[in-house]
Amino acid sequence: MQHLRMLPYSGLCFSRAAPHRIPAVGHASLPALSTFQGATGVAFVRDYYMSYLTVAAVGILAAVLFGSMLGVARLLAPRNMSKDKLSTYECGVEPLGDLWSQQQARYYIYALLFVVFDVEAAFIFPWANIMGSFQQGVAILVEMIIFILILAVALLYVVRKGLLRWS
Amino acid sequence: MEKDWLDHGITILVVILIFTVQMLITTFLVLFERKFVAWMQVRIGPNRAGPWGLFQTVADALKLMVKEIFVPRGADRTIYMLAPFLTVFPAFMAFAILPIGPSFEFVHGDKTHVVAIQGANLNVGILWLLAMSSVAVYGVMLAGWASGSKYSLLGSVRASAQVISYEAALSLSILPVLLWTGTLDLQEIVAAQSGWNWYAFGLLLIPFVSFFISGMAETNRLPFDLVEAESELVAGFHTEYGGARFMFFFLAEYINIMTISAVAVTLFLGGWNGPWVPVQADPAGWQVALGVLYFFLKTFVLLFLFIWIRATLPRMRYDQLMSFGWKILIPVNLVFLMVLAGLVVMQEVGAWPAGFFR
């Protein structure tokens, strides 16, 4: 991937060759690992979008498959509606009260905690990606440990507050 | 290296092939699960539809397809109909970017074509997998909400809380792989595990176990299947679903299990690596086939583990589930991440022998 650094579009490519951590066995003679390898300039960008187009094709394939299965089911299935059949299931009795019942606010805590840790992950991912290629490894390691510890304090706070207990 | 019609044709062929194989394996996975669980419980299991019950899933699917399709009165029509698809969709999308076998070259005319046995090689590989596992929450959440039933809603709120909790653990257990290889590209991650340098056999065993547990919670498998706890919630989020739409949820569960296993194989168990399949420029035909075989063999071992655990462990209590995720899995992962980052830095400065504990 060395040559990609010279390309104007190299910002699109997250890959970084790490020869010191990829075993020497066969690394020099790896096959074209990336679709982008060897492509230059406009072709590189085209391949980049092409790969997403391929994934989109899989999605369309899934949609077609499930659409057609539902279509076949629609053709085969009988149609005999009645009022009772369409009522919401509640163990056989008439449904009582509002269908969208109230939920415990407790679940809310998990949503908040998730946001904290997902944002954390969003920051750690780019860090982990370039970690090994930095000269100032110790400095960025200490910085990230401070960041993680701050978040650990948040988790500790929640635990000490007893918000994860259910009694 | 300009791509021509042959390259695009190969890509389309590979995509269709992967899709078909995935559907086939899922179909038989349902049967395997029922058979294995039956044997573990000293029963015979399905044995009527075809030899050895081989067509049981097909028979079930046909039966479900001729059942009446209806939308219950209290339901939000559009979302109710969309939800089953939303649960299947991300599993397919995630599987489409996994490298299933080694790339090989062939010469046609005066050009050399590279065939990658992989739907698409996204350069954001790992991030795409995480994104898709996040999208998968929507299907379950919307299905429960749109049904307009109390049981469904309760099941889906539980499911969302559970899945997002373990989502955090899942992304934290993928991070060590990224830290260790320094790339998001799945092909390069597999290549870095060539020989016997599978990550699960070394220092990264802890994240592998954590990934597997969180994956089990993400797919609502048995020790964590509070989402559809039959004894409490009837059927959880799909209580109001029947016929073909129920079949989609059923299939989605198994496709998700398969995808999670395949992702675990790619990230931690060396992907298609194995004896006699070296990472090299131009592997022989039989080596390519062997690599693909290794990939599915390893996936199958993990799937068997899924089934084995299902037959062995009882369902967890909800508070135990949540405190296990937040108080054990996530802190362990965070500590491990910091230790590993320390080791990487020590390798950089030469205080730790490079290649040790690979």
Side-chain angles (χ1 to χ4, degrees):
Chain A
M1 306 299 281
Q2 206 64 34
H3 59 283
L4 280 177
R5 301 234 165 86
M6 291 174 282
L7 294 177
Y9 305 105
S10 59
L12 288 172
C13 189
F14 292 89
S15 302
R16 174 180 62 79
H20 61 290
R21 271 190 271 147
I22 290 175
V25 191
H27 180 249
S29 57
L30 282 183
L33 285 177
S34 161
T35 343
F36 317 118
Q37 205 163 31
T40 50
V42 180
F44 172 73
V45 174
R46 195 167 55 223
D47 283 357
Y48 176 79
Y49 287 114
M50 212 46 151
S51 62
Y52 280 94
L53 210 64
T54 314
V55 176
V58 175
I60 292 166
L61 215 59
V64 167
L65 177 80
F66 283 85
S68 60
M69 272 162 103
L70 206 60
V72 170
R74 205 165 270 277
L75 287 177
L76 293 176
R79 213 162 275 258
N80 185 17
M81 299 291 175
S82 72
K83 190 167 170 289
D84 287 338
K85 202 183 275 178
L86 289 180
S87 75
T88 307
Y89 178 77
E90 230 172 273
C91 304
V93 295
E94 289 279 305
L96 284 171
D98 192 10
L99 292 175
W100 275 282
S101 58
Q102 288 196 336
Q103 292 298 319
Q104 283 197 53
R106 181 166 290 171
Y107 291 108
Y108 187 51
I109 304 292
Y110 295 116
L112 282 180
L113 264 180
F114 171 69
V115 171
V116 171
F117 277 89
D118 221 34
V119 171
E120 173 186 4
F123 281 118
I124 297 181
F125 264 98
W127 167 80
N129 198 16
I130 56 163
M131 174 77 198
S133 60
F134 258 110
Q135 297 302 313
Q136 304 295 323
V138 181
I140 65 165
L141 173 66
V142 170
E143 280 168 11
M144 188 44 81
I145 285 178
I146 292 170
F147 177 63
I148 290 175
L149 283 182
I150 291 171
L151 285 152
V153 169
L155 186 60
L156 196 69
Y157 175 79
V158 171
V159 172
R160 295 288 293 172
K161 267 281 196 186
L163 289 173
L164 295 180
R165 263 207 305 273
W166 285 63
S167 54
Chain B
M1 195 165 56
E2 207 59 12
K3 288 200 164 191
D4 60 8
W5 60 270
L6 193 55
D7 286 306
H8 295 311
I10 290 167
T11 308
I12 292 168
L13 206 68
V14 166
V15 163
I16 291 174
L17 218 65
I18 290 175
F19 190 84
T20 317
V21 167
Q22 193 184 5
M23 281 307 291
L24 271 178
I25 290 181
T26 310
T27 312
F28 287 107
L29 176 60
V30 180
L31 175 74
F32 287 141
E33 168 158 46
R34 292 178 64 176
K35 271 286 188 196
F36 284 138
V37 170
W39 289 338
M40 286 171 194
Q41 296 167 346
V42 205
R43 293 185 285 117
I44 295 171
N47 63 347
R48 291 304 161 104
W52 204 68
L54 219 51
F55 302 125
Q56 186 61 46
T57 319
V58 181
D60 286 343
L62 276 177
K63 191 202 87 175
L64 283 169
M65 270 167 78
V66 296
K67 293 288 176 192
E68 188 169 358
I69 304 173
F70 63 92
V71 180
R73 208 164 355 145
D76 185 318
R77 219 183 160 81
T78 321
I79 300 178
Y80 178 87
M81 294 197 292
L82 194 67
F85 180 64
L86 276 182
T87 50
V88 199
F89 183 70
F92 279 119
M93 298 292 258
F95 198 81
I97 68 157
L98 296 178
I100 289 173
S103 309
F104 60 97
E105 292 170 358
F106 74 96
V107 182
H108 180 262
D110 52 352
K111 272 190 74 179
T112 312
H113 299 271
V114 179
V115 181
I117 310 182
Q118 177 186 27
N121 190 16
L122 300 188
N123 54 5
V124 292
I126 292 180
L127 293 183
W128 179 264
L129 297 178
L130 276 178
M132 284 304 124
S133 77
S134 300
V135 171
V137 186
Y138 282 106
V140 174
M141 200 165 75
L142 291 176
W145 180 81
S147 296
S149 161
K150 295 188 185 90
Y151 290 112
S152 304
L153 190 60
L154 210 60
S156 78
V157 171
R158 263 191 193 186
S160 329
Q162 172 185 331
V163 173
I164 61 172
S165 294
Y166 280 85
E167 176 91 38
L170 194 80
S171 49
L172 285 179
S173 51
I174 289 179
L175 268 168
V177 176
L178 183 53
L179 191 64
W180 204 239
T181 28
T183 174
L184 289 161
D185 193 310
L186 292 173
Q187 292 262 24
E188 285 177 23
I189 288 172
V190 171
Q193 299 179 68
S194 71
W196 286 99
N197 294 315
W198 303 0
Y199 289 147
F201 289 175
L203 207 54
L204 299 191
L205 177 66
I206 298 163
F208 170 63
V209 172
S210 150
F211 180 90
F212 194 69
I213 294 173
S214 338
M216 217 145 39
E218 284 272 300
T219 49
N220 308 321
R221 287 292 295 178
L222 198 84
F224 308 109
D225 80 333
L226 295 112
V227 174
E228 42 188 301
E230 295 91 350
S231 46
E232 307 159 26
L233 291 176
V234 188
F237 65 92
H238 55 60
T239 304
E240 294 294 337
Y241 281 88
R245 293 203 189 102
F246 171 75
M247 182 178 71
F248 293 162
F249 278 118
F250 193 75
L251 274 182
E253 186 183 333
Y254 287 89
I255 296 171
N256 276 315
I257 297 166
M258 157 105 178
T259 303
I260 280 283
S261 306
V263 170
V265 165
T266 309
L267 294 182
F268 296 101
L269 290 176
W272 43 260
N273 279 308
W276 305 299
V277 185
V279 175
Q280 64 181 37
D282 195 16
W286 63 272
Q287 283 172 325
V288 175
L290 201 61
V292 173
L293 189 69
Y294 283 146
F295 179 85
F296 284 113
L297 218 60
K298 289 175 196 173
T299 311
F300 186 76
V301 168
L302 284 191
L303 287 173
F304 179 72
L305 214 57
F306 263 99
I307 296 167
W308 191 4
I309 289 169
R310 181 206 154 150
T312 311
L313 296 178
R315 186 178 295 140
M316 283 175 97
R317 223 168 57 205
Y318 197 75
D319 61 327
Q320 289 172 337
L321 170 85
M322 282 314 203
S323 57
F324 178 68
W326 286 106
K327 290 180 191 163
I328 297 177
L329 270 188
I330 289 178
V332 163
N333 273 315
L334 282 179
V335 170
F336 182 81
L337 186 69
M338 289 191 277
V339 170
L340 192 74
L343 282 183
V344 170
V345 170
M346 278 164 79
Q347 275 191 4
E348 301 276 313
V349 299
W352 186 272
F356 192 71
F357 256 141
R358 281 222 38 129

